[in-house]
């Protein structure tokens, strides 16, 4: 598989390449595939932080195609972590379905750098969906003692069965995907309180929805830029 211009750009920007090896594969609820992989030195070289993600390279008809995936339960002691794939049509899902122990895939570490603010936030407001749920869970684990309000959009009823690592002081609301995501934006915008000093807002769902919620938080609520982290996890267009 020949690498394309994206690979060259990532390399020029300091991207580091690793080869992952599949150790185990299992189905999750029929709609997801979870792989346990050896990171090939990735965790040792890059460390671990909440919401950590990497770019995987897939063969799409002989052309290189990269997609970003969040690391699930990375273990620096063993160098292993899980990856979860939504099973819809595409080269990534096809690869995950066919993957068996011993299979390998190339990965690039570039662009993932989130760290919880210091001092720690007094409250977290998290907006995500099934795609960003692994990242949400990593935040809830890392900030286990911090109160959090979480909105998760779901497109399929089965997604509500996905595990959320919430504690007693974490409030989680599942919001159905309606009107191309506008319902999530309206729900979150109506529920968010006025700007709070010491709060942090982490917004990572469909790209247009992410932009709309971020705009509301920054412009309408007047939240400072340093209090907001936003990243579109996928695009409906």
């Amino acid at each position: 598989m020949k690498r394309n211009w994206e690979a060259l750009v990532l390399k020029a920007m300091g991207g580091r390449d690793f080869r992952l090896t599949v150790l185990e594969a299992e189905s999750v609820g029929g709609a997801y595939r979870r792989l346990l992989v050896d990171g090939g030195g990735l965790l040792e070289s890059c460390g671990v932080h909440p919401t950590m993600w990497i770019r995987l390279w897939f063969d799409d008809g002989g052309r290189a195609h990269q997609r970003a995936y969040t690391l699930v339960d990375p273990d620096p002691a063993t160098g292993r972590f899980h990856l979860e794939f939504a099973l819809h049509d595409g080269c990534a899902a096809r690869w995950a379905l066919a993957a068996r122990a011993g299979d390998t895939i190339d990965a690039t570490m570039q662009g993932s750098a989130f760290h919880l603010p210091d001092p720690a936030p007094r409250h977290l407001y998290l907006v995500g969906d099934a795609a960003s749920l692994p990242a949400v869970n990593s935040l809830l684990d890392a900030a286990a003692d911090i109160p959090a309000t979480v909105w998760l959009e779901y497109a399929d009823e089965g997604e509500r069965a996905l595990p959320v690592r919430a504690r007693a002081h974490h409030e989680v609301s599942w919001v159905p995907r309606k009107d191309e995501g506008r319902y999530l934006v309206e729900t979150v915008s109506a529920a968010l309180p006025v700007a709070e000093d010491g709060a942090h807002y982490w917004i990572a769902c469909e790209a247009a929805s992410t932009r709309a919620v971020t705009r509301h938080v920054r412009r309408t609520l007047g939240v400072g830029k340093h209090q907001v982290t936003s990243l579109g996890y996928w695009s409906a267009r």
Side-chain angles (χ1 to χ4, degrees):
M1 177 177 61
K2 182 180 290 188
R3 290 292 188 94
N4 56 15
W5 62 268
E6 289 180 290
L8 298 176
V9 170
L10 291 174
K11 178 67 73 175
M13 294 175 65
R16 288 178 281 178
D17 293 332
F18 301 88
R19 177 155 293 179
L20 314 184
T21 301
V22 176
L23 302 174
E24 298 175 3
E26 62 178 319
S27 296
V28 181
Y32 288 82
R33 185 79 165 163
R34 178 183 293 135
L35 304 182
L36 174 65
V37 303
D38 179 274
L42 187 151
L43 299 185
E44 295 86 339
S45 297
C46 303
V48 174
H49 58 264
T51 77
M52 185 173 178
W53 55 273
I54 56 176
R55 304 170 191 266
L56 299 183
W57 294 92
F58 302 96
D59 185 347
D60 187 11
R63 296 178 299 175
H65 174 75
Q66 62 97 1
R67 290 278 305 277
Y69 287 87
T70 303
L71 274 59
V72 179
D73 295 330
D75 183 358
T78 63
R80 298 175 174 184
F81 51 89
H82 287 87
L83 298 168
E84 294 181 350
F85 297 79
L87 298 181
H88 49 70
D89 186 44
C91 57
R94 290 193 294 270
W95 178 85
L97 273 173
R100 298 293 183 269
D103 289 352
T104 61
I105 188 168
D106 291 339
T108 300
M109 179 67 184
Q110 198 283 325
S112 179
F114 178 80
H115 292 279
L116 283 169
D118 185 15
R122 291 200 288 266
H123 198 105
L124 285 173
Y125 293 98
L126 312 179
V127 184
D129 56 19
S132 60
L133 181 55
V136 170
N137 280 334
S138 75
L139 276 173
L140 295 177
D141 283 343
D145 297 329
I146 300 174
T149 305
V150 185
W151 292 271
L152 296 170
E153 186 180 51
Y154 67 94
D156 181 270
E157 194 67 30
E159 292 177 346
R160 299 184 65 181
L162 296 172
V164 182
R165 296 180 181 176
R167 280 72 172 178
H169 50 284
H170 296 157
E171 179 185 352
V172 179
S173 299
W174 285 94
V175 181
R177 181 167 177 81
K178 298 179 182 179
D179 301 325
E180 299 180 331
R182 286 187 290 271
Y183 185 67
L184 174 69
V185 176
E186 294 167 357
T187 299
V188 173
S189 298
L192 280 171
V194 296
E196 298 179 21
D197 290 337
H200 194 82
Y201 302 75
W202 188 88
I203 306 158
C205 45
E206 192 277 330
S209 299
T210 296
R211 290 193 297 270
V213 174
T214 302
R215 187 164 52 245
H216 174 79
V217 169
R218 295 278 289 114
R219 297 181 183 177
T220 305
L221 300 183
V223 174
K225 184 178 181 180
H226 66 285
Q227 293 177 261
V228 181
T229 302
S230 65
L231 178 66
Y233 256 59
W234 60 283
S235 177
R237 295 180 175 80

